[in-house]
Amino acid sequence: MSALAFWRQVRFMQTSDWGIQTKNTIQVGVMGGPNKKVILEEIKQLATVEEICPTELFTVSNEAGPFSQNNVNWEGRQPDYRPFFQTVDVGLNFASFFGLEIIQGRDFTEADWKTDVAKTLINEEAARVMQLTDPIGQKIEIDLDYYTPEGPGRGTMEIIGVFRDFHGIGLKQPIMPMILKSVSSWRETIYYVRSTPGTETETLQSIRSILEEYIEESQVSKIPLITMTDLLNKLSQPEQDLLKLFLTVSLLCILIAVFGIYSVSQRETQRRRKEIAIRKTAGAKTREIMVMFIREYLIITLAACAGAFPLAGLFMHRWLQGFAYRISISWWMFAVVSLVVAVIVLLTIFSQVNRASNQNPAEVVKSE
């Protein structure tokens, strides 16, 4: 039961819709330095590269990242209400690159990068947290990326659009309120590269070759360079490892149980040889004797399941509470496990019961 729930949760994490386009997308870190512009230009010139999206340090992970803050202010906020927001510095094409759906307002334009009042996009969760039914045109004030003697620098931004929520911090935590703002070119660090379909691996190797050409070999391995598919799979790696361990332990338990059931059934049929012979002498058929044994073992099996299922269900329920987005434990899971256990038990005892049911009553009585 627990192994089935583990597998379903891991499968759910691997196949969930993250709300962003991740196919044919590569994450690459290009730090500042004299060769940064050359590296980016060569990446853009690759025949398999369709588009590049710059960000500061945006990545999908199991943590909110270094740029979450609870010092966001907006009109109507209660003084003691300070929810955390995830602030992300992104390029002009971030929303279109990742396929974000703008449900209110509009996307960034080049003109937004040049206005006196900075523009921002927020997600649905941010609009809900701020209780803004019509957020377009509203002003918010947030901490910026520099400090003054009085503390963090502050900036006012105008909301120009609301985009549909996507998972930016994995599936263990609820979607956070998110604020997207423009990234300065000198702060661009993490880039996302869209390759033509079917060339993801080739593009990754080409980018690696470019980095090795301009960066010391010892530093290349420290640079983020990974496909988005692999990045998302890594987020569930601890659960995948736990699943492998749990499956191994489960198989060992099944093997031990099978050997135990086989031994018990062998001893039981030997002990009841005379009873079987008398029943056959009295007219009982082989099928009736087999049904008698099978019924007895099925009753024991179902009783064991009835005792084990509540404990397994409680254990899995508590484990699943660690995920904001998770599967539900359904009745059919218990039914499937009961059926599998019953089949394993029947296959284990069948040969013993069949042999005992087909023995010659006269020989048994004589030997007894």
Side-chain angles (χ1 to χ4, degrees), residues 113-130:
W113 261 230
K114 303 172 184 178
T115 57
D116 294 334
V117 179
K119 310 300 183 183
T120 184
L121 299 176
I122 64 174
N123 66 350
E124 293 175 287
E125 181 64 12
R128 186 193 68 79
V129 165
M130 291 189 285

Side-chain angles (χ1 to χ4, degrees), residues 173-184:
Q173 300 182 44
I175 291 175
M176 285 184 65
M178 182 179 288
I179 298 172
L180 300 183
K181 55 192 182 75
S182 63
V183 60
S184 302

Side-chain angles (χ1 to χ4, degrees), residues 220-261:
V220 172
S221 60
K222 300 177 183 179
I223 294 176
L225 180 59
I226 188 172
T227 65
M228 284 295 289
T229 301
D230 290 340
L231 177 63
L232 297 182
N233 283 334
K234 284 180 66 176
L235 297 182
S236 63
Q237 192 60 51
E239 287 71 32
Q240 294 180 48
D241 294 339
L242 187 59
L243 174 62
K244 292 176 183 178
L245 176 62
F246 212 86
L247 287 176
T248 302
V249 172
S250 298
L251 289 175
L252 288 175
C253 290
I254 290 173
L255 287 175
I256 293 172
V258 166
F259 288 134
I261 293 170

Side-chain angles (χ1 to χ4, degrees), residues 75 94 157 310 348:
E75 184 178 353
F94 184 87
M157 297 186 169
T348 303

